[in-house]
Amino acid sequence: MQDDLEEVRRDVIGRLSQAANDRKSAMHTPVFATADADTRILVLRAFDDEQWTLRFHTDSRSPKVSVIESDPAVSVLFYDREEKVQIRCRGVARIERSSVAADTAWQQSDNYARRCYLGSGPSVLSDEPTSGLPEWIEGEKPTDEQLAPARENFAVLLVEIIEADWYHLAHDGHRRALVKPGGEAHWLTP
Ligand SMILES: Cc1cc2nc3c(=O)[nH]c(=O)nc-3n(C[C@H](O)[C@H](O)[C@H](O)COP(=O)(O)O)c2cc1C
């Protein structure tokens, strides 16, 4: 049980860093909520522990992108079932299509990951079950040349965290705290 707010801050930073770097981490695939009350799972790609920024990758044509561009308020929910820890990160999101961050993320993605951006964008109605990919690339690893047109559909989604609402469920007393990037922190009743 944590009884020290600095320990809670370290716990939040440690868990978000692990979530980004360890694919097996329980917090690697948080629930991402947008201002239109919709939610979805996204893979956490990076956490910058100095700027308190989360990085995700997405299709620039996806519905969440236009929602974020009209209202950037978001919440990202992380949960570790085994350790009974929940972290709710409230923040402000932005989409970057052609920044250094977007170019770097694209360059660092492998060709199977980049392939997702070759087909139709998410949420297009279809008369039959579909992966959305063009038929010629199903089951194949595309070449860099074949992937060139996919780049414009790729974007990074960055979330500047305003506050992290941390909750630990424990038999000897639940604990909850609000931790902010600048150093402010408060206990809350669970
Ligand atoms: C395990 C898992 C991981 C996913 N990872 C991503 C991701 O990293 N980026 C992404 O845009 N969508 C990802 N998705 C798909 C989203 O949950 C969502 O369906 C898609 O982005 C369309 O969302 P939208 O219609 O709200 O824009 C993932 C889905 C699952 C089940």
Side-chain angles (χ1 to χ4, degrees):
M1 186 206 303
Q2 273 96 343
D3 277 319
D4 173 348
L5 283 171
E6 271 318 298
E7 210 181 309
V8 173
R9 177 180 299 281
R10 283 195 295 278
D11 190 70
V12 168
I13 292 172
R15 287 181 191 280
L16 295 183
S17 302
Q18 197 191 359
N21 296 316
D22 177 1
R23 296 173 58 164
K24 293 192 176 140
S25 154
M27 294 189 170
H28 186 55
T29 50
V31 175
F32 191 104
T34 35
D36 58 347
D38 206 353
T39 54
R40 75 286 289 153
I41 298 290
L42 298 183
V43 173
L44 178 68
R45 311 287 171 165
F47 168 62
D48 178 334
D49 62 2
E50 284 180 7
Q51 303 296 323
W52 276 50
T53 304
L54 305 168
R55 174 162 58 84
F56 300 91
H57 296 174
T58 199
D59 192 306
S60 59
R61 301 163 294 178
S62 63
K64 70 178 112 26
V65 166
S66 49
V67 174
I68 287 167
E69 288 179 331
S70 64
D71 185 343
V74 298
S75 179
V76 188
L77 174 65
F78 296 88
Y79 174 49
D80 188 323
R81 187 172 184 273
E82 293 295 313
E83 301 200 14
K84 301 186 172 65
V85 173
Q86 164 183 269
I87 303 173
R88 294 151 75 184
C89 291
R90 306 185 187 101
V92 176
R94 68 178 188 277
I95 303 292
E96 292 187 358
R97 296 172 172 81
S98 56
S99 60
V100 172
D103 287 340
T104 307
W106 179 254
Q107 278 154 18
Q108 289 174 348
S109 300
D110 73 18
N111 283 9
Y112 277 121
R114 293 176 181 173
R115 187 179 63 166
C116 303
Y117 302 91
L118 257 185
S120 311
S123 297
V124 177
L125 284 174
S126 171
D127 291 335
E128 49 196 38
T130 177
S131 68
L133 293 174
E135 231 169 77
W136 59 265
I137 204 61
E138 292 276 8
E140 303 284 330
K141 185 177 183 180
T143 63
D144 290 352
E145 200 177 43
Q146 287 170 321
L147 282 165
R151 170 64 186 88
E152 66 176 345
N153 301 323
F154 173 81
V156 291
L157 195 181
L158 299 164
V159 177
E160 202 181 304
I161 299 172
I162 294 170
E163 60 185 24
D165 183 333
W166 172 96
Y167 188 120
H168 183 212
L169 195 79
H171 291 304
D172 50 353
H174 310 326
R175 286 288 182 273
R176 184 174 173 201
L178 202 57
V179 181
K180 302 196 183 196
E184 196 183 325
H186 306 277
W187 292 112
L188 299 174
T189 52

